[in-house]
Amino acid sequence: MTDSSLLNSELELQQQEELYQQLLLQTMGKLQTPTSDSKSIRPLPGMCVKTFTEPGKEKVFINICQSGSVPPPPELSREALVDLLQSEDPSGYRVPMSLGEPHIEMDNGSQSCTAYDVVINQDFFQKCQEDPLFQQFVILVSAEGLENKYQLELSRDWKVLKNRKFLGSLSEQNIRTKSRPIIQVLQPQEGSTASCKRPKFRLLVEPPTGDPENLIAEIELPGVRSSRSLLLDVGEDRLVLTARPSLFQLDIFHPFLVDQENAVAQFNTQTQVLTVTMPVVSS
């Protein structure tokens, strides 16, 4: 059952502001102290999803929460969502979300388990509640976000709990309020640096003559079968890519300032080439 002490506390909906346009919120590995570029929000309860880690079968709960302070994703019809899910790489459509730190909780059987809080836009959450297809899509996106951030592998055999909106207690989260470079500090695991290779890549300017409109990075990733194994961060003048587990690592600066918020990445599973298209702001 829902924690009544939480429901009785004062949960104010955050006013829509001029928010950052980042596609991924809170990419750093640890929560940061609020600054002028961020603010604290207290998310509202949403739905609780039960799943397991693979292959260890450790119980995991995903609290998918809602807040008006998280920007909505681009408008997407049900028909467009069906086409997206049937495409080779549906990762081109991004859902802004804040991924919280893991916290240890007790399940109904008094067994220890791990819970994660994921916060999405409030209106988009309501849309997911009204359409089972959107609900399954946001669960999938949340699971993949947690997998990429915490190096997990979660079972797709999940279950939405009917009588529980969250497990444990919901904590405040810090989200960015201003646009700024999003560069994740990648801390390689012990012994992994030597095994990572620098992939072959090339940078192309479009159009080839005149004022540049797009900077395109084509990165060859032989042996990578899915975009789920890739961690990509695009900054204003920097690109950082890691292919796990310990296959490739690339960290490059380029001579352009790009619009990181509108950068698009596509991974071709047949050619095993990642293409990152970045609109150029200035050279």
Side-chain angles (χ1 to χ4, degrees), residues 25 41 43-44 63-67 70 96-100 117-121 173:
L25 309 183
I41 64 169
L44 296 172
N63 296 322
I64 300 181
C65 312
Q66 51 185 318
S67 172
V70 176
M97 58 178 55
S98 178
L99 305 175
D117 300 337
V118 177
V119 189
I120 64 174
N121 174 263
Q173 293 196 26

Side-chain angles (χ1 to χ4, degrees), residues 158-188:
W158 49 60
K159 178 182 179 181
V160 179
L161 303 184
K162 294 182 179 180
N163 298 321
R164 186 185 289 273
K165 293 185 177 181
F166 63 92
L167 181 71
S169 59
L170 298 182
S171 302
E172 290 187 353
Q173 293 196 26
N174 296 327
I175 63 171
R176 293 189 180 95
T177 57
K178 293 183 180 180
S179 176
R180 63 178 181 177
I182 305 294
I183 296 297
Q184 183 177 10
V185 180
L186 300 173
Q187 300 292 346

